[in-house]
Amino acid sequence: NCFWEMGNKMTAQIRAKPLIASIALAMGGGFLSNRLSGDVKGIYQTLNLPWFAPPDWVFAVVWPVLYLLIAAAYYLVMESPKGEARTQAMTFYLVQLFLNFLWSPLFFRWGAYAWAFRLLCTIFLLALATIICFALIDRRTLWLMTPYLVWLVFAMLLNKSIAVLN
């Protein structure tokens, strides 16, 4: 019965080292990306922004939460049985995460808003593929990854608007 299986998954032992490694990868990469991007707050405040642009502090709240959620999803996939599906899912995740880390320096340090938008579209497609692959392995990852996908759609709208206005 599926409820029994879900209960067993939920009570499974959490292994600290892989969980910490997953969180460190996402959070550490995000921190490094931010450091390589220059004065993000200062640059953001000088941009011509669309009416729906959030205040700069919102990003400092949203991104760590998103990184924790996607790291938890990655952990669940890492802990699943080895196989081709797991390898493919982990590959999609790592590639989109790497590209995500490149976005901030491209946008803020180099001011390449149009290129950053194109990169963001690629990240979105890879994140969508990641979510599909993750969900086929463990349905819980769907709920962990969905806020990230929604935020990427918002980020695409914001990035495109900034590219047009600047």
Side-chain angles (χ1 to χ4, degrees), residues 19-35:
L19 179 59
I20 291 168
S22 178
I23 293 169
L25 175 65
M27 298 291 279
F31 177 77
L32 179 61
S33 175
N34 187 273
R35 298 293 298 170

Side-chain angles (χ1 to χ4, degrees), residues 61-104:
V61 173
V62 169
W63 275 110
V65 171
L66 292 175
Y67 284 141
L68 285 172
L69 291 172
I70 68 172
Y74 182 63
Y75 166 79
L76 291 172
V77 171
M78 281 193 325
E79 293 296 292
S80 69
K82 292 182 180 179
E84 189 176 323
R86 176 179 170 244
T87 300
Q88 182 180 31
M90 290 171 66
T91 301
F92 276 128
Y93 175 81
L94 293 172
V95 171
Q96 68 81 31
L97 191 64
F98 175 73
L99 293 177
N100 184 305
F101 297 153
L102 294 178
W103 181 87
S104 192

